[in-house]
Amino acid sequence: MGKEIKITPTDQYIIDKVRMLRLEKEVSQKKLSEIISPSGDNSAVGKIESVSTTHKYTDHQLNLIANYFGCTVYDFYPANILNDTAQVKTRVTIPKGLGPTGIINALLEEGKFFSVPRTIRETTDYCNAYYSESRPVTDYTAILERAVEKGGLKKVELESGNVQYQQV
């Protein structure tokens, strides 16, 4: 494993907030990169979200993102001042606070969970485990069907009548 990259807690917070919003709104890294990168670098967001680079969002990029999502740049900053001590840059597969759509998008982006066929029950149980007691149990059927329509998942109907979903 390579050298650990360190960034400030505020930069980490901003990266996580933008990622959460991006996942909830079903915007890919590539699409958001096209919005923030005047040079046409369609991997800008991937570099920022990667734990192996020191890349972070600039104020200009945050303003472009805020305009795109219809919010303000202040929505990306923490409510309280964070410690200035550098920390190891992280990327959690499913950040706390994501809703059902964001969780499915995070799993699709990571590419591991749906690499094997999963039933609705397996997916629902796995995803609802992230909520614990913070929100009601969610049925993921409609979200999975949207992912099929968008081409991220394929739906396999089994002889038993059950359905499985697998990443394309």
Side-chain angles (χ1 to χ4, degrees), residues 70-118:
C71 59
T72 72
V73 72
Y74 301 110
D75 293 321
F76 304 124
Y77 284 89
N80 299 315
I81 296 173
L82 302 178
N83 183 336
D84 238 6
T85 306
Q87 66 179 34
V88 175
K89 190 175 184 183
T90 61
R91 185 177 188 268
V92 177
T93 301
I94 302 176
K96 289 196 182 297
L98 274 182
T101 298
I103 289 174
I104 294 298
N105 288 327
L107 291 173
L108 286 169
E109 193 171 278
E110 196 69 22
K112 294 177 186 170
F113 181 77
F114 289 108
S115 64
V116 296
R118 303 290 183 164

Coordinates of all heavy atoms in Angstrom, one line a residue, residues 70-118:
G70 N -28.2 23.7 -7.0 CA -29.1 24.6 -6.4 C -29.0 24.8 -4.9 O -30.0 24.9 -4.2
C71 N -27.8 24.8 -4.4 CA -27.6 25.1 -3.0 C -26.5 26.2 -2.9 O -26.2 26.8 -3.9 CB -27.2 23.8 -2.3 SG -25.7 23.0 -2.9
T72 N -26.0 26.4 -1.7 CA -25.0 27.4 -1.6 C -23.7 26.7 -1.2 O -23.7 25.6 -0.7 CB -25.3 28.4 -0.5 OG1 -25.2 27.8 0.8 CG2 -26.7 29.0 -0.7
V73 N -22.6 27.4 -1.4 CA -21.3 26.8 -1.0 C -21.2 26.5 0.5 O -20.5 25.6 0.9 CB -20.1 27.7 -1.5 CG1 -20.1 29.0 -0.7 CG2 -18.8 27.0 -1.5
Y74 N -21.9 27.2 1.3 CA -21.9 27.0 2.7 C -22.5 25.7 3.1 O -22.2 25.2 4.2 CB -22.7 28.1 3.4 CG -22.1 29.5 3.2 CD1 -22.8 30.4 2.4 CD2 -20.8 29.8 3.6 CE1 -22.2 31.6 2.1 CE2 -20.3 31.1 3.4 CZ -21.0 32.0 2.6 OH -20.4 33.2 2.3
D75 N -23.3 25.0 2.2 CA -23.8 23.7 2.5 C -22.7 22.6 2.6 O -23.0 21.5 3.1 CB -24.9 23.3 1.5 CG -26.1 24.2 1.5 OD1 -26.5 24.5 2.7 OD2 -26.7 24.6 0.5
F76 N -21.6 22.9 2.0 CA -20.5 22.0 2.0 C -19.5 22.1 3.2 O -18.7 21.2 3.4 CB -19.7 22.1 0.7 CG -20.5 22.0 -0.5 CD1 -20.5 23.0 -1.5 CD2 -21.3 20.9 -0.7 CE1 -21.3 22.9 -2.6 CE2 -22.1 20.7 -1.9 CZ -22.1 21.7 -2.8
Y77 N -19.7 23.2 4.0 CA -18.8 23.4 5.1 C -19.4 22.9 6.4 O -20.6 23.0 6.6 CB -18.4 24.9 5.2 CG -17.4 25.3 4.2 CD1 -17.8 25.7 2.9 CD2 -16.0 25.2 4.4 CE1 -16.9 26.1 1.9 CE2 -15.1 25.6 3.5 CZ -15.5 26.1 2.2 OH -14.6 26.4 1.3
P78 N -18.5 22.5 7.4 CA -19.1 22.1 8.7 C -19.7 23.3 9.4 O -19.2 24.4 9.2 CB -17.9 21.5 9.4 CG -16.7 22.1 8.7 CD -17.1 22.4 7.3
A79 N -20.6 23.0 10.3 CA -21.3 24.0 11.1 C -20.3 24.6 12.1 O -20.4 25.8 12.5 CB -22.5 23.5 11.8
N80 N -19.4 23.8 12.6 CA -18.4 24.2 13.6 C -17.0 24.1 13.1 O -16.7 23.3 12.2 CB -18.5 23.3 14.9 CG -19.9 23.4 15.5 OD1 -20.4 24.5 15.7 ND2 -20.4 22.3 15.9
I81 N -16.1 24.9 13.6 CA -14.7 24.9 13.2 C -14.1 23.6 13.6 O -14.3 23.1 14.7 CB -13.9 26.1 13.8 CG1 -14.5 27.4 13.3 CG2 -12.5 26.0 13.5 CD1 -13.9 28.6 13.9
L82 N -13.4 23.0 12.7 CA -12.8 21.7 13.0 C -11.3 21.9 13.3 O -10.7 22.9 12.9 CB -12.9 20.7 11.8 CG -14.3 20.4 11.3 CD1 -14.3 19.5 10.1 CD2 -15.1 19.8 12.4
N83 N -10.7 21.0 14.0 CA -9.3 21.0 14.3 C -8.5 21.1 13.0 O -8.8 20.5 12.0 CB -9.0 19.7 15.1 CG -7.5 19.6 15.5 OD1 -6.6 20.2 15.0 ND2 -7.3 18.8 16.5
D84 N -7.4 21.8 13.0 CA -6.6 22.1 11.8 C -5.5 21.0 11.6 O -4.8 21.0 10.6 CB -5.9 23.4 12.0 CG -6.3 24.3 10.8 OD1 -7.1 24.0 10.0 OD2 -5.7 25.4 10.8
T85 N -5.4 20.0 12.5 CA -4.4 19.0 12.4 C -4.7 18.1 11.2 O -5.8 17.5 11.1 CB -4.3 18.2 13.7 OG1 -4.1 19.0 14.8 CG2 -3.2 17.2 13.6
A86 N -3.7 17.9 10.4 CA -3.9 17.0 9.2 C -4.3 15.6 9.6 O -3.8 15.1 10.6 CB -2.7 17.0 8.3
Q87 N -5.1 14.9 8.8 CA -5.5 13.6 9.1 C -5.4 12.8 7.8 O -5.2 13.3 6.7 CB -7.0 13.5 9.6 CG -8.0 14.0 8.4 CD -9.4 13.9 8.9 OE1 -9.7 14.2 10.0 NE2 -10.3 13.6 7.9
V88 N -5.4 11.5 7.9 CA -5.3 10.6 6.8 C -6.6 10.7 6.0 O -7.7 10.7 6.5 CB -5.1 9.1 7.2 CG1 -5.2 8.2 6.0 CG2 -3.8 8.9 8.0
K89 N -6.4 10.9 4.7 CA -7.6 11.1 3.8 C -8.3 9.7 3.7 O -7.7 8.7 3.5 CB -7.1 11.5 2.4 CG -8.2 11.9 1.4 CD -7.6 12.5 0.1 CE -8.7 13.0 -0.8 NZ -8.1 13.4 -2.1
T90 N -9.6 9.8 3.8 CA -10.4 8.5 3.7 C -11.5 8.6 2.7 O -11.8 9.7 2.2 CB -11.1 8.3 5.1 OG1 -11.9 9.4 5.4 CG2 -10.0 8.1 6.2
R91 N -12.0 7.4 2.4 CA -13.2 7.3 1.5 C -14.0 6.1 2.0 O -13.7 5.0 1.7 CB -12.8 7.2 0.1 CG -14.0 7.2 -0.9 CD -13.5 7.0 -2.3 NE -14.6 7.2 -3.3 CZ -15.3 6.2 -3.7 NH1 -15.1 5.0 -3.4 NH2 -16.2 6.5 -4.6
V92 N -15.1 6.4 2.7 CA -16.0 5.4 3.2 C -16.9 5.0 2.0 O -17.5 5.8 1.3 CB -16.8 5.9 4.4 CG1 -17.8 4.9 4.9 CG2 -15.9 6.4 5.5
T93 N -17.1 3.7 1.8 CA -18.0 3.2 0.8 C -19.4 3.8 0.9 O -19.9 4.3 -0.1 CB -18.0 1.6 0.8 OG1 -16.7 1.1 0.6 CG2 -18.9 1.1 -0.4
I94 N -20.0 3.6 2.0 CA -21.3 4.2 2.3 C -21.2 5.2 3.4 O -21.2 4.8 4.6 CB -22.3 3.1 2.6 CG1 -22.4 2.1 1.4 CG2 -23.7 3.7 2.8 CD1 -23.3 0.9 1.7
P95 N -21.1 6.5 3.1 CA -21.0 7.5 4.2 C -22.3 7.5 5.0 O -23.4 7.3 4.5 CB -20.8 8.8 3.4 CG -20.5 8.4 2.1 CD -21.0 7.0 1.8
K96 N -22.2 7.8 6.3 CA -23.4 7.9 7.2 C -24.2 9.1 6.7 O -23.6 10.1 6.3 CB -22.9 8.1 8.6 CG -22.3 6.9 9.3 CD -22.3 7.1 10.8 CE -21.7 5.9 11.4 NZ -22.4 4.6 11.3
G97 N -25.5 8.9 6.7 CA -26.4 10.0 6.3 C -26.9 9.9 4.9 O -27.8 10.6 4.5
L98 N -26.4 8.9 4.2 CA -27.0 8.7 2.8 C -28.4 8.1 2.9 O -28.6 7.3 3.8 CB -26.1 7.7 2.0 CG -24.9 8.3 1.3 CD1 -24.2 7.1 0.5 CD2 -25.2 9.4 0.3
G99 N -29.2 8.5 2.0 CA -30.5 7.9 1.9 C -30.5 6.7 1.0 O -29.4 6.3 0.5
P100 N -31.6 6.0 0.8 CA -31.6 4.8 0.0 C -31.0 4.9 -1.4 O -30.2 4.0 -1.8 CB -33.1 4.4 0.0 CG -33.7 5.1 1.2 CD -32.9 6.4 1.4
T101 N -31.4 6.0 -2.1 CA -30.8 6.1 -3.5 C -29.3 6.3 -3.4 O -28.6 5.7 -4.2 CB -31.5 7.3 -4.2 OG1 -32.9 7.1 -4.3 CG2 -30.9 7.6 -5.5
G102 N -28.8 7.1 -2.5 CA -27.4 7.3 -2.3 C -26.6 6.0 -2.0 O -25.5 5.8 -2.5
I103 N -27.3 5.2 -1.2 CA -26.6 3.9 -0.8 C -26.4 3.0 -2.0 O -25.4 2.5 -2.2 CB -27.4 3.2 0.3 CG1 -27.2 4.0 1.7 CG2 -26.9 1.8 0.5 CD1 -28.1 3.5 2.8
I104 N -27.5 2.9 -2.8 CA -27.4 2.0 -4.0 C -26.4 2.6 -4.9 O -25.6 1.8 -5.5 CB -28.8 1.9 -4.6 CG1 -29.8 1.1 -3.7 CG2 -28.7 1.2 -6.0 CD1 -29.4 -0.3 -3.4
N105 N -26.4 3.9 -5.1 CA -25.4 4.5 -6.0 C -24.0 4.3 -5.5 O -23.0 4.1 -6.3 CB -25.7 6.0 -6.2 CG -26.9 6.2 -7.1 OD1 -27.2 5.4 -8.0 ND2 -27.7 7.2 -6.8
A106 N -23.8 4.4 -4.2 CA -22.4 4.2 -3.6 C -22.0 2.7 -3.9 O -20.8 2.5 -4.2 CB -22.4 4.5 -2.1
L107 N -22.9 1.8 -3.7 CA -22.6 0.4 -4.0 C -22.3 0.1 -5.4 O -21.3 -0.6 -5.8 CB -23.7 -0.6 -3.5 CG -23.9 -0.6 -2.0 CD1 -25.2 -1.4 -1.7 CD2 -22.7 -1.2 -1.3
L108 N -23.0 0.7 -6.3 CA -22.8 0.6 -7.7 C -21.4 1.2 -8.1 O -20.6 0.6 -8.9 CB -23.9 1.3 -8.6 CG -25.2 0.5 -8.6 CD1 -26.3 1.4 -9.2 CD2 -25.0 -0.8 -9.4
E109 N -21.1 2.4 -7.6 CA -19.8 3.0 -7.9 C -18.7 2.2 -7.4 O -17.6 2.1 -8.0 CB -19.9 4.4 -7.2 CG -18.8 5.3 -7.7 CD -19.0 6.7 -7.2 OE1 -19.8 7.5 -7.8 OE2 -18.4 7.1 -6.2
E110 N -18.8 1.6 -6.2 CA -17.7 0.8 -5.6 C -17.5 -0.5 -6.5 O -16.4 -0.9 -6.6 CB -18.1 0.4 -4.2 CG -16.9 0.0 -3.4 CD -15.9 1.0 -3.1 OE1 -16.2 2.2 -3.1 OE2 -14.7 0.7 -2.8
G111 N -18.6 -1.0 -7.0 CA -18.5 -2.2 -7.9 C -18.2 -3.5 -7.3 O -18.0 -4.5 -8.1
K112 N -18.4 -3.7 -6.0 CA -18.1 -5.0 -5.4 C -19.4 -5.7 -5.0 O -19.5 -6.9 -5.3 CB -17.2 -4.8 -4.2 CG -15.8 -4.3 -4.5 CD -15.0 -4.1 -3.2 CE -13.7 -3.5 -3.6 NZ -12.9 -3.1 -2.4
F113 N -20.3 -5.0 -4.4 CA -21.5 -5.7 -3.8 C -22.3 -6.4 -4.9 O -22.7 -7.5 -4.8 CB -22.4 -4.7 -3.1 CG -23.6 -5.3 -2.5 CD1 -23.5 -6.0 -1.3 CD2 -24.9 -5.1 -3.1 CE1 -24.7 -6.6 -0.7 CE2 -26.0 -5.7 -2.5 CZ -25.9 -6.4 -1.4
F114 N -22.6 -5.7 -6.0 CA -23.4 -6.3 -7.1 C -22.5 -7.0 -8.1 O -23.0 -7.4 -9.2 CB -24.2 -5.2 -7.8 CG -25.3 -4.7 -6.9 CD1 -25.3 -3.4 -6.4 CD2 -26.5 -5.4 -6.7 CE1 -26.3 -2.9 -5.6 CE2 -27.5 -5.0 -5.9 CZ -27.4 -3.7 -5.4
S115 N -21.3 -7.3 -7.8 CA -20.5 -8.1 -8.7 C -21.0 -9.6 -8.8 O -20.7 -10.3 -9.7 CB -19.0 -8.1 -8.3 OG -18.8 -8.7 -7.1
V116 N -21.7 -10.0 -7.8 CA -22.4 -11.2 -7.7 C -23.9 -10.9 -7.7 O -24.3 -9.9 -7.1 CB -22.0 -12.1 -6.6 CG1 -20.5 -12.5 -6.6 CG2 -22.3 -11.5 -5.2
P117 N -24.7 -11.8 -8.3 CA -26.2 -11.5 -8.3 C -26.7 -11.4 -6.8 O -26.3 -12.2 -6.0 CB -26.8 -12.7 -9.0 CG -25.7 -13.3 -9.8 CD -24.4 -13.0 -9.0
R118 N -27.6 -10.4 -6.6 CA -28.2 -10.2 -5.3 C -29.7 -10.1 -5.4 O -30.2 -9.5 -6.3 CB -27.7 -8.9 -4.7 CG -26.2 -8.8 -4.5 CD -25.6 -9.7 -3.5 NE -24.2 -9.5 -3.3 CZ -23.5 -9.9 -2.3 NH1 -24.1 -10.5 -1.3 NH2 -22.2 -9.7 -2.2

